[in-house]
Amino acid sequence: MKPYFDAGDVQLYHGDCRRLLADLDVTADCVVADPPYGETSLAWDRWPDGWPDALLEVTRSMWCFGSMRMFLDRALQFGAWRLSQDMVWQKQNGSAFHADRFKRTHECITHWYRGAWAETYHEVPRAPYYGANVKVITAKRDRGYHLGDAKKNTHVAGSDRMMTSVLQVRNMQGRALHPTEKPAAVLSPLIEYACPPGGLVLDPFAGSGSTAVAARLLGRRAVLIEADERYCEVIARRLAQDVLPLGGEPG
Ligand SMILES: C[S@@+](CC[C@H](N)C(=O)[O-])C[C@H]1O[C@@H](n2cnc3c(N)ncnc32)[C@H](O)[C@@H]1O
């Protein structure tokens, strides 16, 4: 199948991901999915039924953006996937869909896998640590595969520590190429976690192509799918640039 755009390290396909994934012979180290949440009556906000199943043969590891309502309403559609963890992207501002509820300034991000967890690539990125020294905890006994090496989890001032599950990153307000564009600073730790260097990330709902921008900066390859041709054009222009903007500043 001929890509809409091919930059060597990134291929972009135009069409419905559910149909294209059946024809594309692609195996990805991980997927980063940011589907329409299907929460509003806006024309573009239509949940594509069945897309989580369409990815089962493509990858063993998948990040998915959404709201709590979206995940609860569509829980059955993730039935074949196992949830490993959830994260929060906290923004500086957000949407006030309802005047009688708290203004939502966060998005949920969930990680899903299939098969054996031990065989699923996962490497928590480390972040600078500016707090006080925290006493080293020495494990008295084997903590088991899931808990890992206790020493790795200790904090030393001026050093680094495992990233936390809340990402505080400014959204793309005022500089976005797509109404729901995700900043590269949110996407980067997800990609580093689930995709080894040189590996392949697939984004079935590419929007402005942010996943490919982040993947490229991290030395990963990407395959993108986008149904709206206007955004395929945006992506092609963006990826053809030599200098790529790193979206997202600390919140
Ligand atoms: C939430 S946006 C993704 C934004 C993207 N993460 C970014 O940072 O720019 C969802 C995108 O999925 C596209 N889309 C919706 N249904 C689709 C489908 N069935 N297959 C492929 N793309 C689809 C929409 O056109 C929209 O651009």
Side-chain angles (χ1 to χ4, degrees):
M1 181 177 295
K2 195 173 166 350
Y4 185 92
F5 175 77
D6 190 345
D9 58 343
V10 181
Q11 283 82 42
L12 164 67
Y13 293 89
H14 171 223
D16 186 319
C17 61
R18 295 164 296 181
R19 193 177 50 76
L20 289 185
L21 284 168
D23 296 341
L24 280 177
D25 186 19
V26 62
T27 304
D29 291 287
C30 80
V31 161
V32 175
D34 181 18
Y37 296 1
E39 287 194 312
T40 66
S41 54
L42 296 167
W44 55 265
D45 193 18
R46 295 278 177 274
W47 170 268
D49 255 327
W51 70 264
D53 276 353
L55 288 160
L56 283 169
E57 298 304 317
V58 172
T59 190
R60 301 164 61 97
S61 175
M62 172 168 78
W63 287 107
C64 182
F65 285 85
S67 64
M68 180 66 87
R69 181 188 298 275
M70 181 199 99
F71 286 115
L72 291 176
D73 282 355
R74 318 286 178 184
L76 290 179
Q77 296 208 10
F78 289 87
W81 290 93
R82 300 179 76 185
L83 180 68
S84 82
Q85 61 198 302
D86 58 288
M87 296 181 59
V88 169
W89 168 30
Q90 185 186 356
K91 309 177 262 190
Q92 82 282 15
N93 61 16
S95 47
F97 287 138
H98 306 284
D100 57 350
R101 294 167 213 185
F102 288 95
K103 184 172 176 176
R104 194 170 85 195
T105 57
H106 75 280
E107 309 285 327
C108 303
I109 313 169
T110 51
H111 180 253
W112 305 82
Y113 71 104
R114 61 178 188 83
W117 176 244
E119 290 164 20
T120 310
Y121 180 86
H122 50 279
E123 188 69 46
V124 182
R126 301 193 64 89
Y129 177 66
Y130 303 109
N133 284 352
V134 175
K135 200 175 160 195
V136 174
I137 304 159
T138 311
K140 289 200 173 62
R141 58 185 168 78
D142 180 10
R143 289 155 39 101
Y145 175 77
H146 286 282
L147 294 179
D149 177 358
K151 290 197 190 79
K152 268 177 125 176
N153 299 332
T154 58
H155 312 149
V156 178
S159 173
D160 59 15
R161 65 170 174 175
M162 292 167 75
M163 279 188 87
T164 61
S165 58
V166 177
L167 304 172
Q168 291 178 314
V169 178
R170 294 184 72 79
N171 65 19
M172 300 297 290
Q173 192 182 30
R175 57 208 164 109
L177 300 170
H178 187 285
T180 61
E181 184 173 339
K182 303 297 176 286
V186 170
L187 298 165
S188 297
L190 311 183
I191 293 171
E192 280 185 286
Y193 177 82
C195 183
L200 182 73
V201 184
L202 179 114
D203 183 342
F205 304 102
S208 64
S210 319
T211 298
V213 172
R216 187 181 256 184
L217 287 167
L218 294 167
R220 274 76 167 171
R221 295 167 292 124
V223 168
L224 307 178
I225 304 175
E226 171 54 50
D228 187 331
E229 190 167 7
R230 290 170 305 165
Y231 287 111
C232 288
E233 272 305 296
V234 169
I235 295 170
R237 277 201 303 277
R238 190 176 184 188
L239 294 176
Q241 287 173 6
D242 287 329
V243 181
L244 295 161
L246 177 61
E249 297 151 16

